[in-house]
């Protein structure tokens, strides 16, 4: 049984954080910025990435102070993810903060935390987690890559696919098998034997890559054979943060639709005065606010490290995936023909929604996890 | 999940728990989990339970002391409702007067009205019915036609009301009437308090779809009430009524919440049993997950609203979507529970005696109608929350 104090409301400090982040992104992640960056292979602007770290401390927000972070909680981090989702920020933020930093924090490897987290927190290191392979599965059984001991450490061989920002990351955390079981390894960007191929993706605002590893030198993170529980737990955290990002995107797509419904006139009336459109918009709000509840619930569980975190996380990601996809699709619909054009931003949200839906395992697979947890 | 309401609430919370432990026994305990806002099930027992609560001083926790209340705050009200629902105590029979009329009188009633009526709501010696709807005025409440004219020290009332929950047992009605015969729509309406025990009031019970005597139609033929029994100002009844409906749309969700959670747990248990027997097909399994999800989301939505209220802030947009989301989800849950039960779930006790699941399934269908039907809720959300243009109106 989880205990929590009633904190259904944000503190002034949290409201202030939201304002600061929103204002930063309104200057540095405009629609024009997003369109420029999504057309590049790298997919982000290194100068802006450093500013996010140095000026705002966003990469290290929830990293404990002893590792160079600001030591805030997950509710704060959730606010930042929501804002990056609204702005469709093109940056390796999810990969670095939600995937890599979480895996390091939960790895139980104090030396690795001390070595690797400060660079992430400072906005100097781009990092990611390379788990999925050609099957795209986030299940333990989906990993075929393997590692063997060498004279100086470890060497990893195998292929990773759909790795978020895998082609630009300075630090790759790679899941591979040893005789003892699933293990986690740190691989550096320039390591010999590593070939990184950027992928062309439907959602151009978040980049992915394929990695081919041929006896790539690597450092073992945490205990050999003990990586699955670590990854599973950090994936739950990442799922919650991705859900927060989806919530932000969905609420922005809803706003676009509502703004348009107020000004577009047909049959002599604003289209928002017709129930067909009005009720669609009302249902968008129902979905967005319900998604917000799912995210709040999961952030509380994450903050408290509650035993039912996996339940809350799976619920939040599955629910927010559905909400984002539906709301982004309805946003296109409300806009009519203009919503179907490359020039209008509606498709950017729609594509981000569809890719987020499968990024950390499909919504269906999270619902399946939920079903299993509920004893069904 | 357990909620921590903070140290200030602990003593009060323990007091509530102890009292419920000691009094929710015997016949009352047998009726745990029974009832809903419009459920006539076990009416007599629940009325007795309301009197037990009254004797314990648990009705009107936040109402002023001089009118029989406890004079405590919102926090205590919430803690009580929460513990009450946790103990699965029977749904309060007199909820209409407690949740709707009472707060309206506290806010807008005259001093004399408060002294006369509030204590009798709180000791359950007078029962009330809400007379808003009419055959021609449901969603479009502004088109009420029941009229009242002054005759000396009295109002004389003529017209018809309908769907009055528990109207057949009510001693009094609070009715929305047209006091200005030439007025249109929401202008010229007034809220009157009318005794039912008089020749001009004829109440006919209407049976609901579950076979219960739950609501009534009320015929008013030269019915009388005293001139000073107008709540708020004459001609301003629309405002008074909207205040009541605002309360209705928000306040009743919290006590319902744990009822939903219990139903969701029962649903899970039934689904698990089927799964173990290898009889849970994938579509039903997915719908069980979806139903359970929606109940958990309702809970967080309520907690967010409570959190905002306790922090002294205006509840956010989630408070406006809660009724629509909860009522829609509850209907889905009801259908699903019925399907999971299979053919055995279709068999009633003799004389159409329904079990809890059957009752819940049928009665949940009212929730998307009363207190603002779903379509009207969407209009309100669209116009008042999202600021979309209004529908053209006559
Ligand atoms: C169990 C129960 C208890 C009740 N208790 C009370 C009570 O104690 N006192 C009391 O005064 N009333 C009570 N009511 C009445 C309730 O408030 C009305 O039923 C409700 O307001 C709907 O009105 P109606 O039944 O006339 O339906 P209508 O208003 O005729 O609606 C019929 C359908 O049309 C839709 N509709 C109506 N207007 C619009 C629109 N503008 N746009 C789109 N769709 C629209 C509605 O959503 C609904 O689906 C109760 C009702 C129920 C079911």
């Amino acid at each position: 049984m989880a205990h929590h104090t009633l904190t259904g409301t944000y503190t002034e400090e949290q409201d202030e954080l939201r304002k600061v982040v929103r204002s930063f992104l309104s200057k540095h992640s405009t629609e024009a910025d997003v369109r420029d960056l999504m057309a590049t292979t790298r997919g982000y602007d290194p100068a802006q990435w450093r500013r996010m770290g140095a000026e705002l401390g966003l990469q290290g927000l929830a990293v404990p102070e002893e590792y160079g972070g600001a030591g805030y909680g997950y509710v704060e981090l959730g606010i930042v993810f929501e804002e990056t989702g609204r702005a469709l920020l093109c940056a390796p933020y999810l990969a670095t903060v939600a995937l890599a930093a979480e895996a390091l924090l939960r790895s139980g490897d104090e030396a690795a935390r001390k070595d690797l987290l400060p660079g992430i927190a400072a906005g100097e290191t781009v990092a990611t987690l390379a788990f999925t392979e050609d099957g795209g599965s986030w299940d333990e059984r989906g990993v075929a890559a393997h590692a063997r001991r060498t004279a100086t450490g470890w060497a990893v061989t195998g292929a990773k696919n759909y790795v978020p920002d895998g082609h630009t990351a300075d630090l790759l955390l790679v899941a591979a098998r040893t005789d003892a079981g699933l293990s986690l390894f740190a691989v550096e960007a320039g390591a010999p034997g590593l070939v990184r191929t950027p992928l062309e993706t439907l959602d151009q605002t978040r980049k992915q890559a394929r990695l081919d590893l041929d006896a790539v030198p690597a450092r073992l993170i945490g205990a050999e054979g003990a990586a699955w529980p670590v990854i599973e737990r950090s994936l739950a955290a990442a799922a919650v943060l991705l859900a927060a990002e989806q919530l932000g995107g969905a609420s922005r797509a809803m706003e676009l639709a509502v703004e348009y419904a107020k000004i577009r006139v047909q049959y002599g009336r604003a289209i928002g005065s017709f129930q067909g459109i009005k009720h669609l918009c009302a249902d968008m709000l129902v979905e967005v606010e319900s998604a917000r509840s799912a995210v709040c619930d999961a952030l509380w569980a994450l903050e408290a490290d509650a035993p039912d975190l996996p339940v809350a996380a799976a619920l939040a990601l599955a629910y927010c995936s559905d909400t984002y996809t539906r709301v982004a699709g309805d946003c296109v619909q409300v806009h009519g023909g203009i919503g179907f054009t490359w020039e209008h931003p509606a498709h950017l949200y729609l594509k981000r929604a569809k890719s987020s839906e499968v990024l950390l395992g499909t919504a269906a697979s999270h619902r399946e996890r939920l079903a299993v947890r509920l004893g069904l | 999940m357990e909620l921590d309401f903070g140290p200030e609430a602990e003593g009060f919370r323990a007091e509530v728990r102890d009292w419920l432990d000691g009094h929710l026994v015997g016949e009352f305990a047998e009726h745990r989990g029974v009832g809903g806002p419009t459920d006539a099930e076990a009416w007599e027992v629940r009325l007795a339970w309301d009197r037990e609560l009254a004797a314990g001083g648990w009705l009107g926790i936040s109402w002023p002391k001089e009118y029989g209340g406890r004079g405590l705050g919102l926090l205590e009200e919430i803690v009580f409702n929460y513990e009450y629902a946790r103990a699965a105590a029977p749904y309060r029979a007199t909820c209409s007067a407690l949740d709707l009329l009472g707060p309206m009188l506290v806010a807008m009633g005259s001093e004399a009205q408060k002294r006369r009526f509030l204590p009798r709501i709180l000791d359950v010696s007078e029962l009330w019915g809400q007379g808003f709807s009419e055959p021609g005025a449901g969603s479009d409440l502004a088109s009420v036609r029941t009229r009242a004219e002054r005759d000396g020290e009295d109002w004389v009332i003529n017209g018809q009301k309908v769907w009055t929950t528990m109207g057949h047992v009510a001693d009094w009605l609070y009715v929305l009437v047209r006091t200005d015969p030439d007025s249109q729509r929401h202008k010229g309406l007034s809220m009157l308090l009318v005794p039912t025990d008089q020749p001009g009031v004829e109440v006919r019970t209407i049976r609901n779809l579950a076979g219960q005597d739950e609501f009534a139609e009320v015929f008013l033929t030269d019915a009388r009430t005293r001139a000073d029994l107008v709540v708020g100002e004459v001609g301003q009844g629309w405002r008074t009524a909207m205040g009541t409906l605002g309360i209705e749309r928000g306040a009743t969700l919290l006590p319902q919440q744990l009822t939903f959670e219990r139903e969701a747990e029962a649903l899970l248990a039934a689904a698990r049993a089927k799964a173990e027997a290898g009889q849970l097909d994938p579509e039903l399994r997915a719908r069980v997950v979806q139903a359970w999800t929606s109940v958990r989301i309702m809970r967080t939505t309520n907690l967010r609203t409570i959190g905002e209220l306790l922090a002294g802030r205006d509840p956010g947009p989630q408070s406006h979507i809660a009724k629509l989301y909860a009522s829609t989800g509850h209907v889905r849950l009801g259908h699903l529970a019925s399907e999971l039960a299979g053919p055995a779930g279709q068999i009633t006790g003799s004389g159409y005696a329904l079990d809890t699941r059957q009752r819940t399934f049928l009665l949940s269908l009212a929730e998307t109608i009363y207190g603002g039907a779903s379509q009207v809720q969407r209009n309100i959300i669209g116009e008042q929350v999202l600021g979309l243009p209004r529908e053209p109106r006559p």
Side-chain angles (χ1 to χ4, degrees), chain A residues 4 74 112 123 133 169 175 177 205 226 241 255 260 264 302 327 355:
Chain A
H4 78 71
Y74 285 102
E133 302 187 354
R177 302 194 167 280
T205 65
L241 297 170
E255 286 170 15
Y260 190 70
R264 174 66 176 169
L302 187 55
V327 170
S355 85

Side-chain angles (χ1 to χ4, degrees), chain A residues 275 279, chain B residues 37-39 96 100 128-141 161-167 174 208 214-216 245 248-249 363 365-379 391 393:
Chain A
Q275 282 193 357
H279 288 193
Chain B
T38 67
D39 188 353
S96 162
L100 305 175
W128 283 84
Q130 180 195 53
F132 286 8
S133 305
E134 296 183 5
S139 300
D140 184 15
L141 198 55
K161 294 291 173 183
V162 74
W163 316 126
T164 311
T165 299
M166 293 301 152
Y174 52 112
N208 72 13
E214 172 198 333
F215 42 34
L245 290 181
E248 178 165 354
R249 282 169 190 156
L363 296 180
L365 290 159
E367 291 163 29
T368 49
I369 299 173
Y370 68 72
S374 290
Q375 289 71 21
V376 173
Q377 293 288 333
R378 289 192 181 91
N379 284 349
E391 309 212 327
R393 289 196 167 75

